[in-house]
Every structure is written in structure tokens, then in C-alpha cells.
Amino acid sequence: MQDKKIENSNELEFAVFCIENVAAKLGVNAELVYQAFTEKSDILNGYIVPEYEILHTQSREYIVNDLLDVMKERGVKI
């Protein structure tokens, strides 16, 4: 999957939504999740942003669980 940069405010808001909700589910600071999605992996620009059109139509629970699965598959730990 190609890396894709955030192009508009909707994608930015969705990225923040994803980071904050994964952090809440894991009980950690959102900064740690941001680092995991950007510095420890390419989940932000390699998964969340490219899949925005599909992901943003899903429920909060689905999105969070999907992202936790992606983290597990890619060996990303917080």
C-alpha cells in the first residue's frame, strides 16, 4: 500500500480521532499512539490515510479494533 499524506481537514480530524480513541482503549497517552503510528510504523500514512474513505464510515469500535489488529500484525507495541 502506498504512503499517502493527509490532504484535507477531514483526513486530519479522522487521524486525530483514530489516535485518541486507540489511546483511550489502551489507557495510554495519545502521544504514544501517535509515535507508534508514525515513528515505529507507517500506520498513519500507510494505512489510516489511504483507507480513510472506507474506514471513516465504520463505527468507533470497529475502527479501534481494526487499528489494534493492524498494530498486532505489524508488531507495533506501545
Side-chain angles (χ1 to χ4, degrees):
M1 188 173 302
Q2 289 283 33
D3 276 6
K4 184 171 180 276
K5 301 290 182 198
I6 293 172
E7 295 179 353
N8 59 55
S9 62
N10 289 338
E11 290 178 356
L12 177 59
E13 288 175 20
F14 183 69
V16 171
F17 167 88
C18 290
I19 292 164
E20 289 179 343
N21 282 281
V22 168
K25 175 81 172 187
L26 296 176
V28 299
N29 187 300
E31 186 175 349
L32 292 175
V33 176
Y34 175 76
Q35 290 170 346
F37 284 1
T38 58
E39 296 170 14
K40 295 181 180 178
S41 71
D42 70 338
I43 292 173
L44 180 63
N45 290 322
Y47 184 74
I48 294 171
V49 178
E51 298 298 327
Y52 166 76
E53 290 299 327
I54 296 166
L55 283 174
H56 89 278
T57 64
Q58 304 300 316
S59 71
R60 176 190 318 245
E61 182 179 6
Y62 176 90
I63 294 166
V64 169
N65 288 334
D66 185 56
L67 291 171
L68 292 174
D69 287 345
V70 170
M71 289 172 68
K72 186 176 180 180
E73 288 169 9
R74 297 184 183 191
V76 178
K77 296 186 175 156
I78 295 183

